[in-house]
Amino acid sequence: DAGVIQSPRHEVTEMGQEVTLRCKPISGHNSLFWYRQTMMRGLELLIYFNNNVPIDDSGMPEDRFSAKMPNASFSTLKIQPSEPRDSAVYFCASSLPLEPDTQYFGPGTRLTVL
Amino acid sequence: KQEVTQIPAALSVPEGENLVLNCSFTDSAIYNLQWFRQDPGKGLTSLLLIQSSQREQTSGRLNASLDKSSGRSTLYIAASQPGDSATYLCAALNTGNQFYFGTGTSLTVIP
């Protein structure tokens, strides 16, 4: 298996633009997690899905952030409009059913908002 | 809310030294605790997982301990090598299936 796939790997955009980050989990994994990593706050959970259904989105910082999982093999994290303080590395992770402690992380998307 | 702290934030040691990384957490009601390694520009790789009922886990030159009552975990690396240079993160998994990560310790092993 190719592991968790994220795209793009790097994104540079201007303030106010819409940004869409993509994630393909490992086949057979039914839990998907979105994290954000910054120097100041470390790695924080934004939202996670079980069987394509959002379970906990309490980590989503603002209404500008939204996440979807239309099917078991694809998820998006969208920021609209983007702001410079959204600059961070965004990680996606997936896990097998009933094994949330065994999460496999993607390589991350480094987002820079100018 | 669980808070996880790692000390030190950065550590530099000569090759061959044994070293200890520290992790503390505020809420002892954890499901387990994991240590991860993060290389620059890469995702996280799980190194060791300690269930809440366990005291320690070992894998090769790595040994992780857990003391739930004091809210502490340590990662011991024996005979460090330049290839061990990376950022090490600890994470507490609570009963709600949510990971709380520390901010990491950046380790540099000097040849």
Side-chain angles (χ1 to χ4, degrees), chain A:
Chain A
D1 199 315
V4 176
I5 299 173
Q6 291 187 246
S7 64
R9 293 294 311 276
H10 301 274
E11 176 81 28
V12 180
T13 190
E14 293 189 347
M15 182 175 64
Q17 296 297 309
E18 177 180 296
V19 175
T20 300
L21 310 181
R22 297 174 176 78
C23 175
K24 176 179 170 54
I26 293 173
S27 177
H29 286 193
N30 78 334
S31 295
L32 184 140
F33 307 80
W34 281 102
Y35 292 89
R36 178 172 67 176
Q37 187 177 39
T38 62
M39 289 292 291
M40 291 297 295
R41 301 174 66 89
L43 200 64
E44 300 173 291
L45 178 67
L46 299 177
I47 185 171
Y48 79 92
F49 296 84
N50 273 349
N51 295 317
N52 312 336
V53 176
I55 301 301
D56 185 351
D57 65 354
S58 60
M60 296 286 264
E62 299 172 35
D63 291 343
R64 298 183 295 106
F65 286 69
S66 63
K68 294 182 180 180
M69 193 165 185
N71 56 62
S73 59
F74 183 66
S75 177
T76 59
L77 178 67
K78 185 176 294 186
I79 309 173
Q80 167 63 21
S82 58
E83 297 183 2
R85 59 195 169 116
D86 301 331
S87 297
V89 181
Y90 291 82
F91 288 100
C92 174
S94 68
S95 70
L96 286 166
L98 303 179
E99 293 187 18
D101 51 1
T102 309
Q103 295 181 24
Y104 293 82
F105 282 76
T109 295
R110 180 173 295 277
L111 173 65
T112 302
V113 183
L114 303 174

Side-chain angles (χ1 to χ4, degrees), chain B residues 11 16-23 33 35 47-48 50 55-66 73-80 84 88 107:
Chain B
L11 182 63
E17 271 203 9
N18 303 325
L19 59 100
V20 175
L21 307 181
N22 297 293
C23 173
L33 187 133
W35 284 91
L47 297 173
L48 288 167
I50 312 175
R55 297 289 298 219
E56 66 177 338
Q57 282 287 334
T58 298
S59 176
R61 295 182 294 108
L62 305 180
N63 175 275
S65 68
L66 175 63
S73 177
T74 61
L75 178 66
Y76 174 84
I77 302 177
S80 58
D84 295 331
Y88 292 81
L107 172 65

Side-chain angles (χ1 to χ4, degrees), chain B residues 4 7 17 19 24 31 33 52 54 59-60 69 81 87 92 94 98 101 104 107:
Chain B
V4 180
I7 295 174
E17 271 203 9
L19 59 100
S24 61
Y31 184 66
L33 187 133
S52 62
Q54 297 176 321
S59 176
S69 61
Q81 303 172 358
T87 296
N94 73 350
Q98 179 169 347
F101 283 86
L107 172 65

